[in-house]
Amino acid sequence: MDTRGNQVGFPQSTEGAVAMLAATSNTTVKAGRTAVDVQLGIYESYMAQADHSDVNAEKIELQAIQTDKKIRTDMGLPAGSALPGGAYVRSHVIGFQVVKESGSEVSAWLLSRATTKSGETAKERGTYTRSLVAAIWEDSDWKLSSAATQRAYQQAGSNEKPPIVAPGDESFNRGGWTAIRGAS
């Protein structure tokens, strides 16, 4: 763990890169933890040095502020208010599909389940999302890289997106997904 409480020190393997990519995508916004906290933590812990700049940090912070506002609006809360007990927005990676792999760069599609709950007694709502991300090996760890992600989009092509499907569904396996199972 680093000083922000994020897992670091992933092995230099495809599995290590995918584990880091999943760690950056497994997020929770809840009372006492805003999207700004989450996104700036990802930026500080996981971004490649080439992507570190005051301009990028500010862009990430401003976008996260907008995300926090949208979360509150979607929950019917006033802007700037604290989330009530039991309220959260979570994203959890449930599957992956490697696009390209080498000892220094790995790109993969991630399939995530995003869930939202607006309070302790509220019903949880969920959707599935798909994203393409890439990592480079830098300073003895995997780091998110915008340049590598751009290369991944070029390599993946515009029509080759895997289906957004639930695990356990026959189309999950046909779509080429590998399930990520959490520790019990």
Side-chain angles (χ1 to χ4, degrees):
M1 296 287 204
D2 67 4
T3 58
R4 290 189 159 273
N6 290 322
Q7 182 181 353
V8 294
F10 296 92
Q12 189 176 7
S13 64
T14 299
E15 294 80 9
V18 169
M20 184 281 296
L21 293 170
T24 66
S25 298
N26 290 336
T27 61
T28 301
V29 173
K30 61 182 181 177
R33 185 168 165 87
T34 66
V36 172
D37 299 330
V38 171
Q39 293 305 313
L40 288 178
I42 290 169
Y43 172 79
E44 290 296 327
S45 298
Y46 299 112
M47 292 302 296
Q49 283 303 311
D51 292 312
H52 273 254
S53 71
D54 291 341
V55 171
N56 282 347
E58 184 176 358
K59 283 180 186 177
I60 289 166
E61 183 175 12
L62 291 174
Q63 183 162 359
I65 288 169
Q66 293 305 312
T67 299
D68 279 326
K69 287 179 182 177
K70 183 171 179 359
I71 289 169
R72 281 154 183 76
T73 299
D74 290 351
M75 290 184 182
L77 301 169
S81 65
L83 293 180
Y88 58 80
V89 176
R90 293 181 183 147
S91 180
H92 186 74
V93 178
I94 56 173
F96 70 95
Q97 189 175 117
V98 173
V99 174
K100 183 181 176 192
E101 58 187 308
S102 74
S104 60
E105 187 171 315
V106 174
S107 57
W109 287 102
L110 300 180
L111 178 64
S112 299
R113 175 141 168 82
T115 55
T116 303
K117 189 172 178 183
S118 59
E120 196 67 48
T121 60
K123 183 177 178 177
E124 182 179 80
R125 295 173 287 137
T127 60
Y128 293 95
T129 62
R130 167 192 60 215
S131 59
L132 180 61
V133 289
I136 60 170
W137 186 253
E138 179 180 272
D139 296 331
S140 301
D141 207 353
W142 290 104
K143 300 290 183 181
L144 289 171
S145 166
S146 60
T149 299
Q150 288 174 350
R151 285 190 293 275
Y153 272 105
Q154 291 168 347
Q155 293 161 351
S158 60
N159 296 325
E160 299 179 28
K161 297 176 182 172
I164 298 175
V165 292
D169 189 313
E170 187 176 313
S171 56
F172 181 88
N173 294 332
R174 275 198 322 266
W177 292 108
T178 299
I180 295 178
R181 302 212 187 331
S184 50

